[in-house]
Amino acid sequence: MFKNLIGGEWVEGARVSRNINPSDTRDVVGEFAQADAAQATQAIAAATQAQSAWGLSTPQQRFDILDAAGAEILARKAELGDLLAREEGKTLPEAIGEVVRAGNIFKFFAGEALRIGGEVVPSVRPGVGVEVTREPMGVVGLITPWNFPIAIPAWKIAPALACGNAVVIKPADLVPGSAWAIADILHRAGLPAGVLNLVMGRGSEVGQVLLNDKRVNAISFTGSVATGQRIAQACIARMAKFQLEMGGKNPMVVLDDADLDVAVSAALNSGFFSTGQRCTASSRLIVTEGIHDRFIAAMAEKMKALKVDDARKKGTDIGPVVDDKQLAQNLEYVAIAKAEGARLVAGGEAIDSNSDGAPGYYMRPALFAETTAPMRINREEVFGPVVSVIRAKNYEEALALANDTEFGLSAGIATTSLKYATHFKRHVQAGMVMVNLPTAGVDYHVPFGGRKGSSYGPREQGRYAAEFYTTVKTAYTAA
Ligand code: NAD
């Protein structure tokens, strides 16, 4: 049984939840304690008590703990990658890559703990000194989704601790194993009791307590738009600072002058890999007339070779969907697209079992052609391996279509034209832009986030993370 970490102690929950392997639903990854509202409140109390001492800890102390945690995560990448692939369903190479990312994030923020500085500014008044410094926010609540079970907890926990905050984290119910591993590693790395509290459990119960408790000074959330809106309302009602990373309907534009192989491989990767379960996945391919038919033919040909199988099997390109609900949602969107008049080019059907006959939540990636911007398939996030192609007359129309969405997380363009690449980087309404690269797959040391309906508040990751996890103080001293 994997327990919750509250005030430096491993404690049983009010209930137990079974973590199921989506590649083989007979396989139970482990039994995990589920906290209730009372335990979530205890975790907040423990964090509140630990906060002041941690806020005054030396940068060296924070560096040592974060650096040790990063080193252990990197050293255990094969084992933690296997756990991640088993609980979430991304392929083993993808899962190991995510673990390495998490390890590097801890190493990066270990260094950032040493670099938190301020400014000494000349005053406009004679005989006065001005200092601008950054202080911790206090207790922060972190709420994470299931699709990056280790990287997202890492990219919230590491900067929160580096900046001197105490943390209560509630990971997604479907994938508690990877977040539990981070809590265990940090606990053993010498983090003082109560500085990091792990409360696994339901969003509506444990998450809601974090939103409502006045002692939680800031909430960092990644997940769906619907939950994000609920979080925004709860935080505004009590004036808590918050940051939201939510959905996407990310466009990738393919121009006539694109290198066809580059465009197809970027579209396959960002549309279908990780089973399309990435907020940065390209789900809208906007393709200009001159290359449209060749592009679709090449995509269909390459899709035939994609192997959908057990996430941990060698040679698997696409693992299962995370659970039965998400699979049902994906298949519903396939049906919606067909009903709206889109042409199914390939895939879209569920597969009951893997190549060993084990039951799991598998589906063949789906590609739709002849879709138009108003269709639901082009407006709503599916969060599965379902991609649609929109035909565009020229670059200008393609750019307008790319921006015709409520979302604005990531956007890509495949082109050999410097003119169009430069224009697109400047004018696409997204937080991240990729030229001749998949829209998913980003570095760990630079800002991550979007605009419009995709994100709210300061960026995550890189040096910019400090904007959220610190508050600025301006001090005046008579000289
Ligand atoms: P979700 O919104 O269902 O859940 C996210 C987290 O919120 C979970 O831990 C959940 O338990 C918790 N939660 C649910 N109800 C709550 C409540 N009332 N109060 C407090 N917490 C509550 O999202 P999900 O299905 O886990 O994740 C998929 C979504 O996440 C997709 O929309 C995807 O685009 C998005 N996502 C965004 C990014 C990004 O950085 N933009 C990254 C990954 C995933």
Side-chain angles (χ1 to χ4, degrees):
M1 155 85 92
F2 296 87
K3 297 179 180 172
N4 287 310
L5 182 64
I6 301 176
E9 302 289 331
W10 293 105
V11 294
E12 304 220 351
R15 288 181 298 276
V16 172
S17 111
R18 292 191 329 154
N19 185 350
I20 303 291
N21 176 355
S23 295
D24 177 353
T25 53
R26 300 165 307 187
D27 176 31
V28 179
V29 180
E31 297 205 321
F32 289 78
Q34 289 246 304
D36 59 8
Q39 285 179 318
T41 305
Q42 281 166 20
I44 295 167
T48 306
Q49 208 179 353
Q51 168 55 41
S52 32
W54 182 247
L56 297 173
S57 61
T58 63
Q60 186 66 47
Q61 200 179 345
R62 297 179 208 166
F63 173 92
D64 288 342
I65 292 169
L66 295 174
D67 187 57
E72 178 170 342
I73 291 169
L74 292 174
R76 290 171 57 195
K77 66 180 183 188
E79 173 212 339
L80 293 173
D82 188 74
L83 165 68
L84 199 164
R86 193 171 159 212
E87 72 173 351
E88 197 267 352
K90 64 185 63 172
T91 66
L92 201 49
E94 288 170 333
I96 292 172
E98 187 184 330
V99 172
V100 169
R101 178 188 181 93
N104 284 329
I105 286 169
F106 272 97
K107 292 254 176 192
F108 176 85
F109 283 107
E112 284 301 282
L114 301 173
R115 282 187 285 269
I116 296 168
E119 287 182 282
V120 176
V121 183
S123 171
V124 293
R125 290 175 277 167
V128 174
V130 183
E131 294 157 39
V132 182
T133 52
R134 285 188 180 274
E135 296 185 357
M137 279 304 300
V139 173
V140 299
L142 310 179
I143 301 176
T144 57
W146 50 261
N147 65 330
F148 284 94
I150 198 163
I152 295 181
W155 83 51
K156 294 186 192 296
I157 291 172
L161 296 178
C163 294
N165 302 283
V167 170
V168 180
I169 178 164
K170 193 212 88 62
D173 328 16
L174 279 174
V175 293
S178 301
W180 187 92
I182 295 189
D184 172 51
I185 288 168
L186 283 165
H187 180 58
R188 285 187 292 96
L191 199 63
V195 173
L196 175 76
N197 302 276
L198 171 76
V199 279
M200 301 175 284
R202 293 182 193 147
S204 54
E205 194 173 7
V206 172
Q208 199 64 43
V209 171
L210 293 180
L211 302 186
N212 294 343
D213 195 311
K214 285 205 165 75
R215 293 171 294 180
V216 179
N217 302 103
I219 297 274
S220 178
F221 166 82
T222 302
S224 63
V225 173
T227 312
Q229 284 171 343
R230 205 168 293 152
I231 285 174
Q233 280 165 4
C235 289
I236 284 172
R238 65 177 183 86
M239 302 286 190
K241 188 174 184 180
F242 63 99
Q243 164 185 67
L244 311 173
E245 287 297 343
M246 300 169 290
K249 196 70 208 172
N250 309 294
M252 186 177 131
V253 168
V254 178
L255 295 186
D256 288 355
D257 65 19
D259 178 319
L260 189 62
D261 289 343
V262 167
V264 168
S265 98
L268 284 174
N269 176 319
S270 52
F272 300 135
F273 288 3
S274 297
T275 326
Q277 298 174 153
R278 292 187 285 190
C279 48
T280 47
S282 318
S283 50
R284 293 185 299 140
L285 305 176
I286 300 162
V287 186
T288 49
E289 292 281 7
I291 197 170
H292 180 273
D293 294 355
R294 277 184 297 139
F295 176 78
I296 290 195
M299 285 288 286
E301 190 54 36
K302 289 272 186 192
M303 284 172 69
K304 284 189 202 147
L306 292 177
K307 220 168 133 210
V308 180
D309 207 342
D310 189 311
R312 293 188 292 162
K313 198 161 201 175
K314 204 166 186 259
T316 296
D317 296 302
I318 299 176
V321 175
V322 74
D323 72 352
D324 51 347
K325 273 203 226 109
Q326 185 64 49
L327 178 59
Q329 179 173 312
N330 297 350
L331 297 174
E332 194 188 327
Y333 272 105
V334 169
I336 289 169
K338 283 183 191 165
E340 285 179 314
R343 176 169 68 85
L344 182 62
V345 176
E349 63 277 1
I351 311 168
D352 292 340
S353 55
N354 65 27
S355 61
D356 296 324
Y361 306 120
Y362 298 97
M363 75 175 279
R364 296 242 19 119
L367 181 69
F368 282 99
E370 314 307 337
T371 75
T372 57
M375 289 181 180
R376 281 182 66 190
I377 196 72
N378 284 322
R379 308 224 71 87
E380 298 167 22
E381 184 182 49
V382 178
F383 219 53
V386 181
V387 170
S388 54
V389 176
I390 308 176
R391 196 190 286 264
K393 279 199 291 292
N394 51 29
Y395 168 74
E396 287 72 23
E397 192 189 29
L399 175 65
L401 285 164
N403 287 335
D404 181 10
T405 171
E406 284 174 27
F407 296 106
L409 188 57
S410 184
I413 188 165
T415 179
T416 51
S417 153
L418 180 63
K419 178 178 128 186
Y420 290 132
T422 307
H423 191 274
F424 189 78
K425 279 193 280 186
R426 172 76 182 81
H427 294 279
V428 77
Q429 294 160 3
M432 296 172 291
V433 191
M434 313 288 178
V435 178
N436 294 321
L437 286 167
T439 55
V442 295
D443 285 7
Y444 64 84
H445 66 308
V446 285
F448 177 94
R451 33 174 107 164
K452 294 159 81 176
S454 289
S455 303
Y456 188 94
R459 287 286 185 268
E460 302 201 74
Q461 303 191 63
R463 281 192 291 120
Y464 291 67
E467 288 303 321
F468 182 74
Y469 292 104
T470 60
T471 181
V472 167
K473 181 178 276 174
T474 313
Y476 297 85
T477 312

